[in-house]
Amino acid sequence: MPNFNATARANSLSSPVVNSAAIDYGGRVRILWDEYITVGTETDGTPKDTFTFGAEMIPKGSRIMGCMLQTEDLSAGSRLTLAVGNANPITTAVITTVAGTISVADEIGVVLTASAFPVLTLDNTLGTLSADKYIRLWVKYALD
Amino acid sequence: MPNFSGVAQANAIAVPPINSMPNTQVGRVRVFYDSYTTIAAEDVTVADTITFGAERIPVGARITNASIQNDGVGGTSAIVSVAVGGVSPIVAADITAAGIDTITTIGLVTTSAGYPTMTFTTLTADMTDGKVIELQLEYVID
């Protein structure tokens, strides 16, 4: 029965040893949380509308561990794509008229090559978004 | 209307009180991440394991989240199960097709220090070369 070693495990067994970084082991999981309330004029188009989240950028070198996006009934057929710098997309959420729709990450593990804010892009919508509806987002990341 | 207490709440109001552990409340969530790239020359069979991580997950760690992301290793069925520190399954998944699978059992606390291992419980064909399997855990120890 053969056994195989993943990258960090192989590094720890190599000579000289290659140490793992905090984003691989033991680093603290941090969170960015923010929400946006629609005003009812947001629509796709050229250029597409975007929503930027967070008071501070997620630092360069962070590992993106996942996200969760929740929306109210924005409008049928709306599609939101979330990116954080080179972590693009983290998730592509198709939002319908179902309130409270939760979308989770489509991508994990990406390490940011530059500091960046999470940005949602409104890729598609049938008309404009409904007003006074929330878009809530948290992104988990590890850095140190 | 009766009221009921969870274990930690019952411990807190007991006389004398029993203190909670950090892995029950207020502990810090930590990250564990590693990846494995399939190599065609390494023919994987059922019961083979892939070991992840440069450091062991400590004894007493509560696994709060787990994810496997993979590129799709091919075949018709490639089912894996992840264990760590004497507890399993942390996450189980069919990695035949690309995708993300998340935690299978919440609340598990490691009974020994250990590296996460991924064991193939079903495999109907050799894995495709050059496919990445990522394992990400979140745990609380302190």
Side-chain angles (χ1 to χ4, degrees), chain B residues 92-126:
Chain B
D94 185 341
I95 60 173
T96 309
I100 293 181
D101 294 276
T102 56
I103 191 164
T104 302
T105 313
I106 65 170
L108 294 177
V109 176
T110 55
T111 56
S112 61
Y115 297 101
T117 56
M118 178 181 291
T119 302
F120 286 81
T121 57
T122 303
L123 188 65
T124 55
D126 287 342

Side-chain angles (χ1 to χ4, degrees), chain A residues 1-12 18-20 22-30 63-66 105-110 140 142, chain B residues 28-36 42-45 47-58 65 67-69 100 115 134 136-139:
Chain A
M1 184 183 73
N3 294 300
F4 305 97
N5 292 319
T7 303
R9 178 74 179 127
N11 285 342
S12 71
V18 179
N19 292 327
S20 58
I23 61 171
D24 295 324
Y25 178 79
R28 182 185 303 186
V29 176
R30 297 179 183 273
R63 185 182 299 286
I64 302 298
M65 300 178 64
D106 297 325
E107 178 69 40
I108 60 172
V110 177
K140 279 190 297 187
Chain B
R28 179 183 301 184
V29 179
R30 297 181 180 276
V31 64
F32 177 100
Y33 173 89
D34 201 359
S35 64
Y36 176 79
E42 295 177 339
D43 290 334
V44 177
T45 60
D48 283 354
T49 62
I50 301 172
T51 302
F52 290 83
E55 304 278 350
R56 291 178 173 88
I57 300 285
N65 207 354
S67 301
I68 297 171
Q69 181 168 16
I100 293 181
Y115 297 101
E134 297 171 278
Q136 178 176 284
L137 305 180
E138 295 169 30
Y139 66 96

Side-chain angles (χ1 to χ4, degrees), chain A:
Chain A
M1 184 183 73
N3 294 300
F4 305 97
N5 292 319
T7 303
R9 178 74 179 127
N11 285 342
S12 71
L13 297 171
S14 66
S15 182
V17 170
V18 179
N19 292 327
S20 58
I23 61 171
D24 295 324
Y25 178 79
R28 182 185 303 186
V29 176
R30 297 179 183 273
I31 196 163
L32 181 152
W33 188 91
D34 202 356
E35 74 171 357
Y36 174 80
I37 306 296
T38 59
V39 295
T41 59
E42 300 90 346
T43 185
D44 62 341
T46 306
K48 297 177 185 301
D49 285 354
T50 61
F51 310 91
T52 301
F53 289 80
E56 305 277 347
M57 289 184 180
I58 296 179
K60 174 184 178 180
S62 298
R63 185 182 299 286
I64 302 298
M65 300 178 64
C67 71
M68 191 170 283
L69 178 71
Q70 183 169 24
T71 63
E72 292 183 285
D73 53 339
L74 297 176
S75 77
S78 298
R79 188 176 67 224
L80 297 162
T81 302
L82 175 67
V84 185
N86 57 297
N88 183 9
I90 294 178
T91 190
T92 299
V94 177
I95 308 301
T96 68
T97 54
V98 178
T101 302
I102 292 178
S103 303
V104 298
D106 297 325
E107 178 69 40
I108 60 172
V110 177
V111 177
L112 294 187
T113 56
S115 299
F117 289 106
V119 177
L120 272 172
T121 299
L122 189 58
D123 281 339
N124 180 59
T125 189
L126 302 176
T128 57
L129 297 186
S130 303
D132 297 322
K133 305 296 183 184
Y134 65 72
I135 302 173
R136 292 173 177 163
L137 171 74
W138 56 249
V139 177
K140 279 190 297 187
Y141 63 98
L143 178 63
D144 52 9

